[in-house]
Amino acid sequence: MKSANRVYVVASGDLRISANQVGWTFQSKMEELLSSTLKELGWEVERGHPYNKEMQHGFIDSQRMGMKVFKTLDPTTPIIVAESVWQYTHHVLPGLYSHNAPILVLANWDGKSSGLVGALNLKGSLTKAGIEHSCLWSKDFTDSFFIEKLKEWLGTGKIEHDKSHVKKLSEIVIPAELVSKGRLFANNFKKEQAIMGVFDEGCMGMFNAIIPDSNLHKLGVFKERLSQSALFAEMSRVVDDDAYRILTWLKNEGMQFEWGENPLTELTQEQTLEQCKMYIAAVRIADEFGCDVIGIQYQQGLKDLVAASDLAEGLLNNVSRPPVFGKNGEELFKGKSLPHFNEVDECAGLDGLITTKLWEIQGLPPENTLHDIRWGEEIEFDGRSEFVWVFLISGAAPPAHFINEYKGASSERQPPMYFKKGGGVSKVLVNLEILFGAGYTWKTRRFFVILELGR
């Protein structure tokens, strides 16, 4: 007879087997700690799907597999979706739609893996889908905060977090002058209209990153649905000399490229040149269709054909960037950034477009980008303690945000587990002594904040 105090544990993973295999190290450790804690609280843990010896991981790795898994589960039994990696929401979304018991999205708290951002993506998608759920996280699954909130969920089926720091917009007093300016900007933004170029919608299972057209149209923004095959075709029409010209411009600006000889594990010059061609192709297509902002899906489809899109994304988002010329020899988008929303996150694209236009009106540098909240920890320095958040971005980070711009950036190969065709990210090293003063140490050793712009 099965225990009344029984809970399922499932894990949504990546589509890429190599990423799942690497991530299983973090996931298996997380689930071991979680199971131990649940058993101590008197709950029986049943994993919803087994470890696959052939695949060497235990993740749900496709939408079809997720459907099959949930058909075998009792929909009235509470379920924990435990995440210590980046996950593709659509693997579990169909099953969670029809699950009639409490749902808990649970993340590990670890700077070395992407559990938090994976869980936040799932949470955002569940919220958009109207699926009731709770969310929780922990470093080692033994801290008092985690235990008390887990007990709350096990006992009531939901978790209420402290939201006393949140205020309604109506409670905030905004000066009348700013309200007037804001309304004027909003009216003009809607009146002028804009085109959002989308190179294949719905990347990485991010259901939450797709804005329904009916909502977008109310803002005066309309999608131009583009194909990544068109981007690939346009890249094939870019001549080698143009790609070398882009690379020469970047090197003259001081950007460093960590090239090696083995394309399977190292960044090569050929991969960088391919990225330069993607940059040129993207600008030319945006000009052809009159796009105000564009987003490249890349992680599915193009990843099997060409080098990573990250370098192109960052260049597009910068005012100071290598010039790209059209068919008649004219410079395209001269003196302006072409906002790019990485991984076709349309929510980030809309925000980036609004921010760019607003900053330009105010005479401010318009460069902006999306960052993920990945991790944070209490840091002690100068006799005091500060909580330091780590923000990471998968691409589209403009050099204007770097210390010394291009001179402060290096391009290193994307991890082979994600991108077999290689390509470089933009990477910035920031000495913490610059930020926090001389003598700063992290747990007694000098170290650098690494803002690595990769997946």
Side-chain angles (χ1 to χ4, degrees), residues 148-420:
E148 291 306 311
K149 290 299 180 182
L150 181 60
K151 287 181 179 178
E152 183 180 338
W153 182 76
L154 293 170
T156 68
K158 60 181 180 179
I159 295 175
E160 293 291 338
H161 289 291
D162 180 12
K163 293 179 284 190
S164 60
H165 60 289
V166 178
K167 292 184 178 181
K168 294 182 179 179
L169 181 60
S170 59
E171 298 174 357
I172 301 175
V173 178
I174 303 175
E177 181 184 1
L178 294 182
V179 172
S180 178
K181 288 182 178 180
R183 286 176 175 164
L184 178 62
F185 170 79
N187 289 332
N188 287 337
F189 180 87
K190 181 178 180 179
K191 182 179 179 181
E192 290 176 5
Q193 300 187 328
I195 294 177
M196 175 182 286
V198 183
F199 284 97
D200 290 342
E201 207 164 42
C203 179
M204 302 182 72
M206 293 191 290
F207 172 67
N208 56 316
I210 302 172
I211 302 177
D213 289 55
S214 56
N215 291 343
L216 201 59
H217 294 172
K218 295 174 183 177
L219 303 174
V221 181
F222 300 82
K223 296 179 189 177
E224 185 73 53
R225 285 182 166 85
L226 303 166
S227 171
Q228 291 189 108
S229 62
L231 181 62
F232 181 67
E234 186 65 32
M235 288 175 63
S236 69
R237 290 189 280 269
V238 176
V239 299
D240 292 342
D241 285 349
D242 282 349
Y244 275 106
R245 179 176 52 79
I246 299 298
L247 178 56
T248 300
W249 191 97
L250 293 172
K251 292 173 70 176
N252 288 342
E253 289 295 310
M255 189 169 184
Q256 302 294 315
F257 295 90
E258 304 298 326
W259 288 323
E261 297 181 357
N262 184 355
L264 297 179
T265 58
E266 297 176 298
L267 177 67
T268 65
Q269 180 172 298
E270 288 72 20
Q271 292 170 10
T272 301
L273 288 168
E274 196 167 50
Q275 292 181 296
C276 292
K277 288 188 176 183
M278 185 183 292
Y279 164 66
I280 295 171
V283 174
R284 288 176 176 171
I285 290 179
D287 173 70
E288 178 182 354
F289 288 91
C291 298
D292 299 276
V293 56
I294 64 171
I296 302 171
Q297 183 195 133
Y298 182 75
Q299 292 231 13
Q300 300 307 324
L302 277 185
K303 71 173 173 46
D304 299 313
L305 295 172
V306 295
S309 60
D310 298 71
L311 180 61
E313 295 173 10
L315 297 180
L316 292 168
N317 268 347
N318 215 59
V319 172
S320 174
R321 54 184 176 77
V324 176
F325 301 96
K327 296 178 181 178
N328 298 321
E330 74 282 13
E331 185 176 345
L332 306 179
F333 299 94
K334 184 177 181 180
K336 300 178 72 67
S337 63
L338 172 56
H340 179 282
F341 48 106
N342 65 301
E343 296 166 358
V344 290
D345 185 336
E346 294 167 12
C347 306
L350 179 60
D351 182 274
L353 176 61
I354 292 173
T355 301
T356 297
K357 289 185 175 294
L358 183 59
W359 265 221
E360 287 176 340
I361 289 173
Q362 297 184 90
L364 299 172
E367 290 91 348
N368 65 89
T369 187
L370 158 75
H371 277 73
D372 297 328
I373 299 175
R374 296 289 178 121
W375 176 70
E377 188 166 287
E378 288 284 343
I379 307 297
E380 293 186 5
F381 59 94
D382 294 340
R384 57 194 175 92
S385 180
E386 291 276 352
F387 193 92
V388 178
W389 283 106
V390 173
F391 295 88
L392 293 178
I393 179 60
S394 303
H401 289 182
F402 304 164
I403 294 177
N404 295 324
E405 297 194 17
Y406 289 99
K407 293 183 178 65
S410 66
S411 185
E412 300 181 14
R413 195 193 195 283
Q414 278 278 27
M417 71 174 184
Y418 292 130
F419 301 101
K420 63 181 181 181

Side-chain angles (χ1 to χ4, degrees), residues 10-81:
V10 298
S12 178
D14 209 291
L15 275 174
R16 296 161 290 198
I17 184 173
S18 54
N20 283 331
Q21 290 172 342
V22 173
W24 184 247
T25 300
F26 296 98
Q27 184 71 24
S28 59
K29 177 182 177 182
M30 172 198 191
E31 290 190 25
E32 183 179 347
L33 293 170
L34 174 61
S35 295
S36 177
T37 299
L38 285 167
K39 289 177 182 177
E40 289 179 6
L41 296 176
W43 282 73
E44 176 187 328
V45 181
E46 181 177 336
R47 200 164 199 279
H49 47 102
Y51 174 84
N52 188 316
K53 292 183 179 180
E54 182 180 350
M55 305 290 281
Q56 298 179 34
H57 69 78
F59 291 108
I60 296 175
D61 59 4
S62 71
Q63 185 169 217
R64 176 56 63 188
M65 178 184 175
M67 290 177 176
K68 290 180 179 179
V69 166
F70 274 86
K71 285 179 181 178
T72 67
L73 304 182
D74 174 13
T76 64
T77 296
I79 190 168
I80 297 176
V81 186

Side-chain angles (χ1 to χ4, degrees), residues 99-112:
H99 203 77
N100 297 320
I103 298 169
L104 177 62
V105 177
L106 181 63
N108 68 333
W109 191 267
D110 191 327
K112 297 178 181 179

Side-chain angles (χ1 to χ4, degrees), residues 419-431:
F419 301 101
K420 63 181 181 181
K421 292 291 185 177
V425 300
S426 296
K427 178 174 174 180
V428 176
L429 300 181
V430 183
N431 192 327

